[in-house]
């Protein structure tokens, strides 16, 4: 097994917190929830953990490339989702399912990707994939 790179000991306690949050989300009772809502907590923690590592590397420059790569390689962050965040228009993307046309009824992007100013006034949007209420970059 590969030894963790320098800086891992600073990152590990926060990742352990995310691991505990994930366990809590996985064991959360689903009674009273719609079927689609049962995985929203897991998706939310997955997003938060990936965003935390993304911000440490790209925004705050607080971790090395080696540590960033180690985190992605060992499943602590979603490399594909983070690659999308680097592209214009996807900076706030909630999950990859929301940009998969095959996962929607009409072969388009998810409703949460539509900018709020393009929706009818007062309409509350809630994505069926992850519970997102709007992740368009212009919002």
């Amino acid at each position: 097994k590969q030894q963790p790179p320098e800086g891992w000991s600073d990152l590990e306690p926060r990742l352990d917190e995310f691991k505990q949050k994930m366990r809590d989300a996985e064991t959360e009772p689903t009674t009273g929830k719609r079927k689609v809502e049962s995985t929203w907590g897991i998706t939310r923690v997955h997003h938060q953990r990936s965003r935390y590592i993304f911000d440490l590397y790209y925004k705050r420059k607080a971790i090395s490339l080696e540590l960033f790569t180690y985190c992605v390689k060992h499943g602590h962050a979603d490399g594909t989702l983070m690659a999308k965040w680097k592209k214009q228009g996807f900076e706030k993307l909630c999950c990859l399912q929301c940009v998969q046309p095959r996962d929607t009824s009409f072969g388009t992007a998810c409703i949460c990707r539509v900018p709020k100013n393009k929706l009818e006034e007062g309409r509350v949007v809630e994505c069926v994939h992850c519970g997102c209420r709007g992740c368009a970059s212009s919002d």
Side-chain angles (χ1 to χ4, degrees):
K1 190 175 174 182
Q2 181 185 358
Q3 279 285 59
E6 191 177 318
W8 173 252
S9 57
D10 299 332
L11 201 58
E12 196 172 20
R14 185 73 172 113
L15 292 178
D16 286 342
E17 287 176 33
F18 282 120
K19 193 183 292 181
Q20 186 56 50
K21 272 183 166 180
M22 185 64 83
R23 272 196 210 107
D24 295 344
E26 289 169 346
T27 59
E28 189 179 324
T30 58
T31 49
K33 289 184 178 181
R34 297 179 302 175
K35 185 179 176 186
V36 294
E37 290 177 26
S38 61
T39 60
W40 288 359
I42 295 167
T43 306
R44 203 164 284 128
V45 173
H46 177 78
H47 176 276
Q48 289 170 352
R49 184 179 57 199
S50 294
R51 179 56 80 173
Y52 172 70
I53 292 170
F54 179 85
D55 287 346
L56 281 178
Y57 182 70
Y58 287 103
K59 304 272 190 257
R60 294 175 24 201
K61 311 262 189 262
I63 62 173
S64 66
L65 174 61
E66 185 183 9
L67 182 53
F68 176 78
T69 307
Y70 179 86
C71 289
V72 172
K73 192 173 170 183
H74 288 83
H76 299 291
D78 186 339
T80 312
L81 182 58
M82 291 190 294
K84 283 284 188 194
W85 287 338
K86 291 192 298 185
K87 294 182 178 178
Q88 186 178 357
F90 295 92
E91 298 90 350
K92 297 180 184 177
L93 181 64
C94 55
C95 72
L96 291 170
Q97 281 182 299
C98 291
V99 290
Q100 297 294 331
R102 69 171 186 267
D103 292 339
T104 60
S105 303
F106 301 105
T108 59
C110 182
I111 188 70
C112 68
R113 298 291 301 149
V114 178
K116 289 197 184 340
N117 62 2
K118 300 271 191 258
L119 295 169
E120 54 196 68
E121 201 171 317
R123 181 172 179 187
V124 177
V125 172
E126 194 172 65
C127 166
V128 294
H129 302 115
C130 60
C132 172
R133 296 191 176 226
C135 62
S137 293
S138 60
D139 288 345

